[in-house]
Amino acid sequence: MHIEPSQKSLKTQLREDFRKLRAGIDKLQRKTWDTLINRQLAAYCNQARPATVAAYLAFDGEPDLRPALGELETGGVRLALPVIRDAPGKAVITFRHWSGDSELRPNRYGIAEPAGTEDIRVAEIDLVLVPLVAWDRSGVRLGMGASFYDRLFQPYAELDKPVRMGVGYELQYADNIPREPWDIHLHGVLTENGWFTCGD
């Protein structure tokens, strides 16, 4: 995967700028926005009725989805979280079942992962909530730069399932994020203002 230096540096700068912007959100404002995002997520799932949802635990200023995930679990939705695993050439992510009382252990990045629960295949997931650093309306996502999600969902790039929904704040919106051939687009984005379907 070769990136022209100018494009790579642009993405690096965007990543730095948007992480700084997200980190600067006032504590009270973040709580308000997270509450709205959780309400929007619960409303979306009430409409879409996913049986299995893959999510994430907030890290580096990402929206905290635990209140809505707790509601989903109570309602019978099976939940999963990403787990980083070593693989030939490069580490990959897979998903493991998670519930509110699951044992969690920090991975190499300090992000909590479920331990000792069963694996959940991507094909079993109806909705995957994808963290992001920035997003645009065409569905291009700027992540942390490791390409974990792009590589994981490459075989499902043209499929409608699982639904890939980015989760972030409106202030993480970018007019136009550089897109590489291997970047997997989002089907939709969820923010404090609601959810919408991305278009090419």
Side-chain angles (χ1 to χ4, degrees), residues 49-55 72 76-80 95 97 120-128 161-163:
R49 301 286 183 183
T52 300
V53 174
L72 293 178
V77 176
R78 183 172 62 157
L79 301 174
F95 288 103
H97 179 252
I120 294 181
R121 296 178 299 113
V122 173
E124 300 175 62
I125 298 169
D126 300 299
L127 171 67
V128 58
K161 180 187 171 184
V163 173

Side-chain angles (χ1 to χ4, degrees), residues 2-190:
H2 175 70
I3 303 176
E4 293 298 326
S6 59
Q7 183 131 305
K8 182 176 181 180
S9 62
L10 174 58
K11 293 180 84 168
T12 299
Q13 187 61 55
L14 282 171
R15 188 173 291 113
E16 181 180 323
D17 291 346
F18 278 100
R19 286 184 69 193
K20 189 180 297 183
L21 190 63
R22 183 174 63 186
I25 299 172
D26 172 82
K27 185 176 180 180
L28 182 58
Q29 184 66 78
R30 184 184 298 277
K31 183 177 180 181
T32 299
W33 286 346
D34 282 5
T35 297
L36 291 171
I37 288 172
N38 278 274
R39 285 179 188 165
Q40 297 288 359
L41 175 56
Y44 176 87
C45 289
N46 187 53
Q47 176 180 308
R49 301 286 183 183
T52 300
V53 174
Y56 65 86
L57 295 182
F59 179 76
D60 193 50
E62 296 162 349
D64 185 355
L65 304 180
R66 284 176 297 176
L69 297 180
E71 286 184 36
L72 293 178
E73 182 182 11
T74 300
V77 176
R78 183 172 62 157
L79 301 174
L81 291 178
V83 175
I84 296 177
R85 287 183 168 156
D86 290 323
K90 218 170 218 184
V92 298
I93 59 170
T94 58
F95 288 103
R96 277 191 192 148
H97 179 252
W98 173 78
S99 66
D101 58 0
S102 295
E103 179 187 357
L104 295 170
R105 295 177 187 166
N107 63 23
R108 67 183 71 179
Y109 299 108
I111 303 171
E113 297 178 340
T117 56
E118 73 272 20
D119 291 341
I120 294 181
R121 296 178 299 113
V122 173
E124 300 175 62
I125 298 169
D126 300 299
L127 171 67
V128 58
L129 302 166
V130 186
L132 50 79
V133 174
W135 55 278
D136 69 23
R137 297 204 176 266
S138 70
V140 179
R141 164 187 174 268
L142 182 67
M144 294 290 280
S147 298
F148 282 125
Y149 284 94
D150 292 317
R151 287 184 280 120
L152 176 66
F153 291 110
Q154 193 69 54
Y156 305 86
E158 304 303 322
L159 302 181
D160 293 331
K161 180 187 171 184
V163 173
R164 300 182 295 272
M165 180 174 285
V167 182
Y169 302 111
E170 282 288 339
L171 60 72
Q172 292 171 263
Y173 167 75
D175 286 331
N176 186 26
I177 298 173
R179 183 174 183 176
E180 308 296 343
W182 54 85
D183 287 339
I184 304 302
H185 80 278
L186 300 169
H187 294 114
V189 173
L190 173 70

